[in-house]
Amino acid sequence: MSQLSAGAGTSTPSRGLRPSPDRPSLTSSSPRRLEKAAYGFLVLAAGVSVLTTVGIVVSLALPAFQFFREVGVGEYLTGTSWTPRFTEKSYGVLPLITGTLWTTAIALAVCIPLGLGAAIYLSEYASTKVRKTFKPVLELLAGVPSVVYGLFAVTFVGPVVLKQWFGIEVQTFSVLAAGLVLGVMIIPTVASLAEDAMSAVPRSLREASYGLGANRMRTVLRVVFPAAVSGIAASIVLALSRAVGETMIVTMASGSQAKIVTDPLEGGQTMTGFIASAALGDSVQGSLQYNTLFAVGITLFVLTLIINLISIRLVNRFREIY
Amino acid sequence: MSDPGHPVDLSALAADDPNPHAGDPTVNTTATVTTRTPEAIQAGRIDPVERPRAVLGCTDVSVYYGDFRAVNEVTMDIGVHEITALIGPSGCGKSTVLRSLNRMNDLIPGTRVTGTISYHGQDIYAKDVDPIEVRRRIGMVFQKPNPFPKSIYDNVAYGPKVTGMKTSNMDDVVEESLRGAALWDEVKDKLKQSAYGLSGGQQQRLCIARTIAVKPEVILMDEPCSALDPIATARIEDLMMELKKDYTIVIVTHNMQQAARVADRTAFFTAEAAEGNGDRTGHLVEFDLTSKIFSNPGDNRTEDYISGRFG
């Protein structure tokens, strides 16, 4: 062994080849200024988005901090009455949270089954031709402004679809109509992202499954789905964040009455709905009314953050890395 | 295509077939196999005219991808408990032929097969044949090891589970299959670990174990050793010799020595430019006993290829 390594390590001319007389230059032949500039731009681009996030958190946190000095976190989180703009003021955020939870839950109940169903169809069943027409249409749908969906919810889904077609006695403004339309709006996002994730699963895994005599549904459920679960979960998390954060539809369709929602046929205000209708520029900067907006804003922010963290945990537990 | 007087019923076939697998030493095909070692064939002790029963038969099989004809009019039979090797240069259509034997090509849009591929006399492309049933009987091992991103155990148990096989004890099925693929001793203590932790050769043997777990009659192997080192390759070849006692094997290989070492019969394919558009279409040049192909080929192109003059 030692003999071998000694042999390999020696480079005396007698043992092998003559040393080469040439000395080609290995130093850089140009200063590569363009590459340095490009590098600087890329760092800047990445930095801007980080700085923006920090900026948002700080600008939300400072007025919110002022708010909590006056109201108190306990009263804010457990109070059941939200009347910051009445003469008889009350700052319990629960009514807004129930509004948001209802619209979000209804939206997810619509967009997860339909979105994933569409994704499975497109990725596993549809012919190339169908997929090539379907997917752009789907992505176009994702680009419809939410105010249009809001109008659709108030003028059509509530009074016509729910009341006339299905005979459901919804109020003029209802979390049900808002949630349904919100869900429809998010379907393309879920479908498109989940389809990308499933299409990215290598064909070899599908072939292995088919080669063993598995049918399509089994292959989808037992091979493709588990392998694509992180992308699918990402699509659902994004859907959730959009449902929680969506403003226009809920402001228009679920009404502006902040109360604990117990019946989806009733209206109710969401957190985003409150911010949109209260932030009209008439609150004096630094006033309690002004700070209230930021308190609700940061609640929304923290809620979304918690949802994302839980989702990441879940995904890491279940995913199959290929 | 299918004869209306003889409705094709692949599900009834297993019960009717007198010898789907070995295990019954009284059946004479099995007895034939034991003498058909490559040494015996190479030594010329086996009568070249003697033909085992055909499991799969191709008659004038052409395969098209859209308008492009990939393979033209292949006619060959696959004998029971034999290893049949398909060799030839890249693009000669040997993998295409292999994949059409268990309707794997169905998964590629625009693929069309003409001619007849029969499995025990039944046209596997007949309208009422379920490709899923075909693939359960004619399994496949792929070029690149492709275990599922699951545990070793779940990889083997996958097939029996999804095909609804009635098993009294899945643990036994898994052990038996892993033993059959000569992998059991290496993995018996880590069945719950991910299959991705295995070496390439072990992964490929796992894929073979996974395939034999559903008890197919035929195993198609598409260049199963091309991603493996010579030691892992040798182990797969040993395994193939072992497996052919129970299974019929068709293997596509780029490695002519491999064909010479393991195959009972060898089919040589090549590709030639079609008149007019210049598309290269593969076709079968010669199909014979391996000993004949490698010692005394009947066609100059075969001789050129096996002697390394092209390809």
Side-chain angles (χ1 to χ4, degrees), chain B residues 144-145 147 197-206 224 227-229 232 236:
Chain B
K144 202 169 148 266
L198 299 174
S199 72
Q202 288 174 324
Q203 287 188 10
Q204 194 62 300
R205 275 180 283 142
L206 178 63
L228 305 181
D229 67 34
I236 302 267

Side-chain angles (χ1 to χ4, degrees), chain A residues 204 207 209-210 213 218 222, chain B residues 99 104 132 146 150 158 162:
Chain A
S204 65
E207 286 189 336
S209 175
Y210 289 128
R218 295 245 161 79
R222 286 173 177 263
Chain B
R99 294 169 60 92
M104 212 54 161
I132 288 162
N146 57 351
K150 301 177 189 292
Y158 179 87
V162 299

Side-chain angles (χ1 to χ4, degrees), chain A residues 128 203-216 218-219 222-223 226-227 320-322, chain B residues 99 104 107-109 132 135-136 139-140 142 146-150 158 161-163 196 210-211 214:
Chain A
T128 323
R203 207 179 70 187
S204 65
L205 291 184
R206 287 190 187 82
E207 286 189 336
S209 175
Y210 289 128
L212 292 166
N215 62 24
R216 244 177 234 269
R218 295 245 161 79
T219 304
R222 286 173 177 263
V223 175
E320 294 181 343
I321 301 163
Y322 54 82
Chain B
R99 294 169 60 92
M104 212 54 161
L107 304 174
I108 300 167
I132 288 162
R135 293 186 204 119
R136 207 192 67 56
M140 190 148 197
F142 298 84
N146 57 351
F148 298 123
K150 301 177 189 292
Y158 179 87
K161 271 186 198 154
V162 299
T163 52
Y196 282 28
R210 181 175 70 180
T211 302
V214 295

Side-chain angles (χ1 to χ4, degrees), chain A residues 10 24 40 45 71 96 137-138 140 158 162 192 200 220 226 242 257 302 319:
Chain A
T10 48
V71 176
L96 298 185
V137 172
L138 208 65
L140 198 72
L162 290 176
S192 186
V220 171
R242 283 194 68 182
Q257 208 184 346
V302 170
R319 77 161 154 184

Side-chain angles (χ1 to χ4, degrees), chain A residues 144-152 246 248-249 252:
Chain A
V144 175
S146 61
V147 67
V148 176
Y149 281 105
L151 214 55
F152 176 64
E246 168 53 35
M248 212 57 221
I249 294 176
M252 291 170 80

